[in-house]
Amino acid sequence: MRNPPRSPGVFGDAHARTGGGDGPATPRHSALAGPAVETAPEPVVAVDRRGRVSLVNAAARALLPGLAPGIPLDTGVAPGWLVAAAHGGPDTGSAEAAEAAGATAHGSLQGRAFTAYAAPLPDGHTAWWLSDVTDREDAERSLRSERESTAFLARASARLQSSLNPRRCVVTTARLAAGHLADAAVVVRLSRDRRPEVTRAVFDGRLEEETLSASPEEMPGLAEALEGFPPVSFRSVDPGLIPAWLLPEGFGRPVSPVVVPLPGSGETAGAMVLLRRAGSEDAGPEDDTVTRIFAARAGAAISAAALYAEQVATVAVLQRELLPPALPHPEGVELAGAYRPAQSAQSVGGDFYDVHPADGPGRETDVVLGDVAGKGPEAAVLTGKIRNTLAALRLVETDHVRLLDLLNRALLSGPQNRFVTLVLASFGAPDPGTGRVDLRLTSAGHPPPLLLRRDGSVEAARTSGTLIGVLPEATATTCSTALLPGDTCLLYSDGVTEARGGPYGEMFGEERLADVLGSCAGLHAQAVVERVGMLTSEWLAGREHDDIALVAVTAAHRTPLSAVGGTVRAGDDR
């Protein structure tokens, strides 16, 4: 309410006819105050300099029965806060200051909130207009509460959405609830073996986490909230029925525990128990609404994080099957491989290699390196199928051409419309006297392997063939050669030769690859792979690229003692 008018016209006649404010007030004084004041809807009380009541209008008499002109204001009828203000209390200074400045006072009366406004009158009298501000204060309090709740929910949403770690989401939920909704909060979830996973948070920052062997049925309403079907609402619980394992250490028995379900995506994400100590303010309807909204958001965040964690675990299992395997160490032969997917965020792609050790005397070790058309997960799925199919086919077919034709038929019978290029390499045990390793190489639409000799010369293996998964019949030619100690056969994907870089964005190319490989003469297989991979990366200089796969097969550098001092020849097929 705005300060009332201070015009002497309202009270002037009254004071003129009573001869000033120092004489005793009379009922006639009140009657002469004027009909405007007497019938005003708001209570008006006037006092003189000595603190005696000089006027009480009808609204004031109804509000303060027993208050009448001529009696002291401090007789016990008027509230203390009004008496203090009229006598110059701490908020108003002296009575003269209150008169001059139009002071205000605030307090309660009959369960309602009032603000009293001072209006100076002639002859040292002061009128106090009492305005009921209960509804306004309730509205302001409700608005503040709404703003605080909105800010809390916004802050909670931001923190809950900042992580896809299930445990972190649970801890965040418990801490937020303990800091805003109650004195302590307990989040309960069920483990895979149906044991309660309990996270307790207290408003002072304490946190407790443990997995128990207790039963959720020990807490009334908890089992139902954890099941989530049918949907359940809040449930207040008798404090005496709360099991000790649910309470934070040293918290004591709460006054009003409440079980709150945490709804998830399709199924419940858990349940939350809010704990309030004695003396805490009871939750109102607005608090219930905020709790319900918070529980929904927390449940959605926990559920999303749990789903993400499950998907990550599933992908990790699948990727372990799709990633290149650890290479064996056959006697007398060095094997090394490297793989770099086109998309750094993914660890699998369309290029692959596999090594199948010899599974018996007289058997060969098989190496396969391939490139499935496309990139990303779709190509990786076909890669897995091809690797598994080849692993099975090599057990029944050792001839490269017939094996590739069987693989071609298998791909054509499937739903995929993709094709693959690959190269096969098979070698047996080294010659015990010379260390020579006989090698068979077969390419199916793939760049032929490069042969690096000890003198630094590089040549491409004489093999070629058709793509796998395109034509009804696959054709290919097999190259038979040999590796002497220190010789290397490099199998590679076109991600190397087609890598674009350099000052003009040109392809790395087969000629540059041959030069790089020639500089690796005398190196072990691992060093060859690392050098080729390093120079390819330098050429790319951070540009986008296709999948890159490398496998080096090197005859052991150590020459057997039986060959020392003699001349070792690999044969005319070298």
Side-chain angles (χ1 to χ4, degrees), residues 25-346:
T26 64
R28 181 174 177 273
H29 180 190
S30 177
L32 294 176
V37 175
E38 177 64 22
T39 61
E42 293 184 335
V44 179
V45 177
V47 296
D48 60 19
R49 290 178 179 175
R50 294 181 299 175
R52 289 181 175 274
V53 177
S54 57
L55 183 143
V56 183
N57 73 345
R61 291 194 297 272
L63 181 65
L64 300 168
L67 191 64
I71 67 173
L73 184 64
D74 57 359
T75 55
V77 178
W81 58 269
L82 180 59
V83 174
H87 285 78
D91 295 333
T92 60
S94 66
E96 290 79 2
E99 295 174 5
T104 62
H106 187 80
S108 61
L109 186 57
Q110 296 185 6
R112 305 284 293 179
F114 283 86
T115 296
Y117 299 91
L121 299 176
D123 303 323
H125 290 249
T126 302
W128 290 92
W129 296 66
L130 278 64
S131 178
D132 189 335
V133 295
T134 305
D135 294 339
R136 185 186 70 189
E137 290 190 350
D138 288 345
E140 291 175 351
R141 187 162 44 249
S142 177
L143 180 59
R144 284 195 302 270
S145 177
E146 183 69 24
R147 288 174 176 171
E148 291 173 359
S149 299
T150 301
F152 164 71
L153 291 174
R155 185 172 68 255
S157 295
R159 290 185 58 184
L160 289 168
Q161 294 173 6
S162 64
S163 174
L164 285 174
N165 181 290
R167 174 192 170 273
R168 196 169 297 142
C169 285
V170 170
V171 170
T172 299
T173 297
R175 288 192 183 279
L176 286 170
H180 189 89
L181 302 176
D183 296 315
V186 184
V187 177
V188 182
R189 303 182 70 218
L190 294 179
S191 63
R192 293 186 179 276
D193 56 359
R194 306 294 294 177
R195 293 194 300 162
E197 296 177 344
V198 180
T199 302
R200 312 180 192 93
V202 187
F203 73 96
D204 58 11
R206 284 184 292 139
L207 183 72
E208 302 169 1
E209 298 177 87
E210 59 181 323
T211 300
L212 305 171
S213 298
S215 172
E217 283 77 7
E218 297 178 28
M219 172 69 177
L222 182 58
E224 294 84 349
L226 288 172
E227 291 300 329
F229 185 84
V232 294
S233 185
F234 300 173
R235 177 171 178 180
S236 297
V237 180
D238 183 350
L241 299 179
I242 300 178
W245 57 262
L246 195 68
L247 298 174
E249 184 178 357
F251 187 80
R253 288 287 166 177
V255 175
S256 54
V258 178
V259 179
V260 182
L262 298 174
S265 301
E267 60 181 13
T268 180
M272 177 173 63
V273 182
L274 300 179
L275 307 173
R276 294 185 176 89
R277 283 196 174 104
S280 299
E281 185 178 350
D282 293 336
E286 299 83 0
D287 297 321
D288 288 347
T289 300
V290 173
T291 300
R292 196 180 306 278
I293 296 174
F294 172 77
R297 295 182 183 181
I302 295 172
S303 179
L307 179 61
Y308 177 79
E310 183 177 351
Q311 291 176 342
V312 168
T314 301
V315 170
V317 172
L318 296 177
Q319 284 184 343
R320 282 198 294 269
E321 297 298 321
L322 296 175
L323 288 173
L327 298 181
H329 303 282
E331 183 179 358
V333 178
E334 299 175 7
L335 290 174
Y339 175 69
R340 181 178 176 182
Q343 302 177 17
S344 59
Q346 299 175 348

